[in-house]
Amino acid sequence: GDPDKAVIDFSEALRLGLLTGDVLQFGSKDPEAVRHWAQVAHARYQRGTAYVAKKEYDLALADFNESIRINPNEARPYVSRGGIFLYRQDYQKAISDFTEGIRLDPNYAFAYFQRGFAYHALEEPDKAYTDYTQSIQLDPHYITAYLNRGIILYTRRGEFEAAIKDFDQALKLGPDNINALMHRGVAYGANNDFDRGLADLNRAIEISPDFGKAYYYRGVLYTLRGNADRALTDYSDAIRLEQQNPEGLIGRAGIYVRRGNFDGAIADYNAAIKMQPADPALYYNRGYSYFNKGEYEQALADYRRAIRLNPSLAPTYINACLAGAIIGKDYPKARADCDKALQLTPRSVDAFDARAFVYVKMGEWAKARAEYDSALRIDPNHPRAIYGRGLTRVKSGDQAGGNADMANALAKDPNLTQDFAKFGIK
């Protein structure tokens, strides 16, 4: 239990063992030599595990390397070395070592679990699922294997009931396991069983009142249930308890947006971006908040950042197209953004509607009318497109037809006149 003392003892054993080894012929078939060097390899392995306990990973790695060099047919040093690679997020090296450990000992349950964890981190859930399952078959008493397999079942496969069974099993093995309670609660919520979900999350928080993620997930369930006030409180508690909690910030920002508190949302997205600067969704959502404040330049800048990070999301191009049209400095670029959106999603009503608005801003009424017609062929009841077509008809001299369209659209959405006026169209 004392890693410092263990390191001293194994070091002394190795010193004596290596001295004794000088009189033996290493690599010979002498049974005494083979036995001796196996003991030396084991001592290296044991000292390596003591270094791991001390978090002295470079020293541990050196010992595991030497243990493998001396005796390459022992599974445990490979799996322990793989554990260090896993900790350092060098997943491919970790998988290679776990795979070798499994080859040497096909019944090594922990090796399957560790390899599953590495695959999980690499976003290869099917391989992870297979390894977790094999780990459970070999050792049905390992809580985390059920927990991680359950997470894959509900987050990746949508198999909520199967996931709940895995969390049930984890909780049989550890009734107060807060992670199993938390994830079972989320799985219940995802399966529209909010009462059970909230009960699990309440229990997790009761056991560990400082467990920020449980507050976050309870906030998610309250959000899904439509209780924004309770969700807002939980997201705020999650942020308070875990300073590095972008999920809580994102959840709270979403409520702020729905309540029209765009400054609050922008502040939360700013904080989340500091933690996850390569997440395009954060820039997209912050841009949406800027857009709703009427700060179109800032919105467009954020949409451009989101596009650079992920150039395959059509809604970002649509919003950039609309913001660019409103700003009115570069209509060809705005139109190009809508063109790209339609390449990605050829039947997007919103993309046709936005491209029509570019032509409206340019005063090209016939082209705008054609775009609105394209949108309405896909969705004949789209209020904005009906209103926009009416506007183009009025501008082209068809007063009666245009007014009829606009009246039809306003019956569906009375705010359309204000919306177009806000964007400079009357």
Side-chain angles (χ1 to χ4, degrees):
D2 185 342
D4 290 317
K5 187 174 185 300
V7 167
I8 294 169
D9 286 346
F10 287 127
S11 297
E12 181 62 14
L14 281 165
R15 186 183 69 80
L16 294 173
L18 290 170
L19 287 173
T20 306
D22 290 340
V23 301
L24 297 169
Q25 187 178 359
F26 175 59
S28 77
K29 295 183 180 180
D30 181 338
E32 181 62 18
V34 172
R35 183 189 66 80
H36 170 77
W37 285 105
Q39 290 175 338
V40 171
H42 182 67
R44 280 279 188 164
Y45 165 74
Q46 293 283 57
R47 189 174 70 176
T49 60
Y51 278 132
V52 168
K54 286 164 59 73
K55 299 187 184 331
E56 296 182 9
Y57 298 115
D58 287 336
L59 294 173
L61 196 60
D63 271 348
F64 294 145
N65 287 340
E66 186 62 12
S67 177
I68 290 167
R69 187 188 70 79
I70 296 170
N71 184 10
N73 297 314
E74 171 64 39
R76 287 180 297 175
Y78 288 101
V79 176
S80 294
R81 186 175 70 177
I84 293 176
F85 292 137
L86 187 63
Y87 172 77
R88 292 179 169 177
Q89 299 182 4
D90 193 342
Y91 298 120
Q92 294 298 347
K93 284 186 179 179
I95 288 169
S96 177
D97 270 354
F98 298 141
T99 300
E100 182 62 13
I102 289 166
R103 185 188 70 80
L104 293 167
D105 182 357
N107 295 316
Y108 200 162
F110 185 64
Y112 286 102
F113 171 78
Q114 290 283 76
R115 189 173 69 178
F117 193 94
Y119 281 132
H120 206 154
L122 284 173
E123 301 287 330
E124 297 188 48
D126 291 337
K127 290 181 179 178
Y129 178 86
T130 299
D131 274 348
Y132 291 145
T133 300
Q134 185 64 23
S135 173
I136 288 167
Q137 289 173 354
L138 292 168
D139 181 2
H141 300 98
Y142 196 50
I143 291 175
T144 314
Y146 291 103
L147 177 64
N148 287 10
R149 187 174 71 174
I151 291 169
I152 289 174
L153 280 166
Y154 85 84
T155 61
R156 298 294 188 149
R157 299 187 175 192
E159 298 178 23
F160 305 119
E161 292 181 4
I164 288 165
K165 287 180 181 178
D166 268 354
F167 300 137
D168 287 344
Q169 188 60 37
L171 286 163
K172 284 181 183 177
L173 296 169
D176 289 336
N177 186 293
I178 56 175
N179 280 298
L181 281 166
M182 178 181 73
H183 284 289
R184 189 175 70 175
V186 178
Y188 275 133
N191 206 31
N192 295 315
D193 191 343
F194 294 111
D195 288 338
R196 286 185 180 178
L198 289 170
D200 274 349
L201 288 160
N202 289 340
R203 176 62 181 153
I205 290 168
E206 179 185 338
I207 294 169
S208 182
D210 295 331
F211 189 32
K213 283 194 180 300
Y215 290 93
Y216 164 71
Y217 282 117
R218 192 171 68 177
V220 171
L221 261 61
Y222 278 129
T223 300
L224 292 172
R225 205 173 194 178
N227 192 334
D229 289 335
R230 292 294 300 271
L232 193 63
T233 298
D234 274 346
Y235 290 141
S236 296
D237 281 337
I239 294 162
R240 174 179 58 81
L241 290 165
E242 293 183 3
Q243 292 183 351
Q244 295 295 312
N245 193 327
E247 295 88 357
L249 290 161
I250 294 165
R252 189 170 69 178
I255 292 178
Y256 285 151
V257 167
R258 286 191 289 278
R259 292 184 166 183
N261 180 4
F262 299 113
D263 287 327
I266 289 167
D268 276 352
Y269 287 130
N270 288 342
I273 285 168
K274 287 181 181 178
M275 300 174 201
Q276 295 181 177
D279 185 347
L282 294 177
Y283 295 100
Y284 174 87
N285 287 321
R286 189 175 68 177
Y288 179 84
S289 295
Y290 277 128
F291 187 95
N292 279 280
K293 284 188 67 183
E295 298 179 10
Y296 303 116
E297 296 275 7
Q298 293 93 324
L300 183 58
D302 270 349
Y303 294 144
R304 290 269 173 261
R305 291 188 187 98
I307 287 169
R308 286 196 294 271
L309 290 166
N310 187 347
S312 63
L313 293 178
T316 315
Y317 290 98
I318 294 170
N319 286 14
C321 172
L322 187 58
I326 293 168
I327 293 166
K329 292 180 180 177
D330 191 343
Y331 292 123
K333 177 61 177 171
R335 187 176 56 210
D337 283 330
C338 275
D339 292 345
K340 181 63 177 179
L342 285 164
Q343 287 177 18
L344 294 167
T345 52
R347 290 183 57 80
S348 170
V349 174
D350 290 333
F352 280 115
D353 180 68
R355 191 162 67 181
F357 187 76
V358 175
Y359 288 125
V360 166
K361 287 283 289 185
M362 296 173 69
E364 297 191 18
W365 309 114
K367 289 182 178 179
R369 164 76 182 273
E371 298 293 341
Y372 285 128
D373 283 340
S374 295
L376 292 168
R377 279 193 289 273
I378 300 167
D379 180 2
N381 295 309
H382 193 275
R384 187 177 297 277
I386 296 172
Y387 187 92
R389 184 179 66 180
L391 178 67
T392 64
R393 293 173 77 176
V394 168
K395 295 291 185 180
S396 301
D398 181 4
Q399 196 77 29
N403 286 336
D405 267 349
M406 294 167 79
N408 181 17
L410 288 170
K412 300 175 188 294
D413 182 352
N415 297 316
L416 285 169
T417 301
Q418 294 173 258
D419 289 347
F420 273 77
K422 181 171 63 178
F423 300 149
I425 303 297
K426 296 180 181 179

